[in-house]
Amino acid sequence: MTETSIRRGPAYRIHTERLVLRCWTPADAPLVQTAIAESLEHLRAWLPWALYEPETLENKIARLRRYRGDFDLDRDYVYGIFNRDETQVLGSTGLHTRLGRGVREIGYWIHKAHVKQGLATEVSAALTQVAMVLDQVQRVEIHCDPQNVASASVPRKLGFTHEATLRHRAVSPAGKLRDTMVWTLLAAEYPNSPAAKRSIEAYDACGQRLI
């Protein structure tokens, strides 16, 4: 077995300076339900799925089971964002595969009590490292509403390029057509990007360190 194959992901657990990112489990349902409830108005401004919250604990458990199943089957990678002792959910993030082979799209939301603290940037830097080093993708993208200034600042800080603003390609939570900014970091650009300079640890499903 080569070193490259040993180091292959997925990364089930990622440690950053302040956070733990890990694959959701059904047992996390009460914590994530609380985090969403406390942040609901904040989330409804930008995320259409928040309009369908709050959902029952049973539905939340079923949702986390689906996330876990997709993770285990390498279909999609959704992570919980936790404080370091994992007693509180601070948000959620994902390395999404919906853009096709060789590409990952990063999405995120942060608990309203923890915004403007650089957590989304810390999370996105970590997932960019995982995508580039472990998944060996050719491109990482971040998409956001042009009106969401805080979200748009994340890829800018990490060295992504604003590649395009796609007009009327998405729907706002109010049901209106809205524009979408597309930010891109290429594999050749990654080694010199701010994202590559962040210190992280990543572990596989058995707890073996990958990064």
Side-chain angles (χ1 to χ4, degrees), residues 120-197:
T121 303
E122 190 171 322
V123 164
S124 297
L127 292 189
T128 299
Q129 283 199 39
V130 167
M132 291 294 185
V133 176
L134 298 182
D135 298 343
Q136 299 180 346
V137 300
Q138 294 303 307
R139 185 173 81 251
V140 176
E141 294 189 7
I142 294 177
H143 298 185
C144 66
D145 188 321
Q147 302 301 314
N148 192 340
V149 177
S151 186
S153 72
V154 171
R156 185 181 294 113
K157 292 174 184 175
L158 296 177
F160 284 61
T161 295
H162 177 208
E163 190 166 300
T165 296
L166 306 178
R167 298 182 298 167
H168 287 193
R169 300 297 177 86
V171 179
S172 73
K176 297 181 179 181
L177 291 173
R178 68 165 177 83
D179 298 347
T180 300
M181 298 180 80
V182 178
W183 296 81
T184 303
L185 186 72
L186 303 180
E189 300 167 334
Y190 166 73
N192 294 320
S193 72
K197 296 174 174 58

Side-chain angles (χ1 to χ4, degrees), residues 33 40 57 60 72 99 156 164 179:
Q33 187 179 48
L40 200 48
L57 183 61
K60 191 68 67 187
D72 289 338
L99 297 180
R156 185 181 294 113
D179 298 347

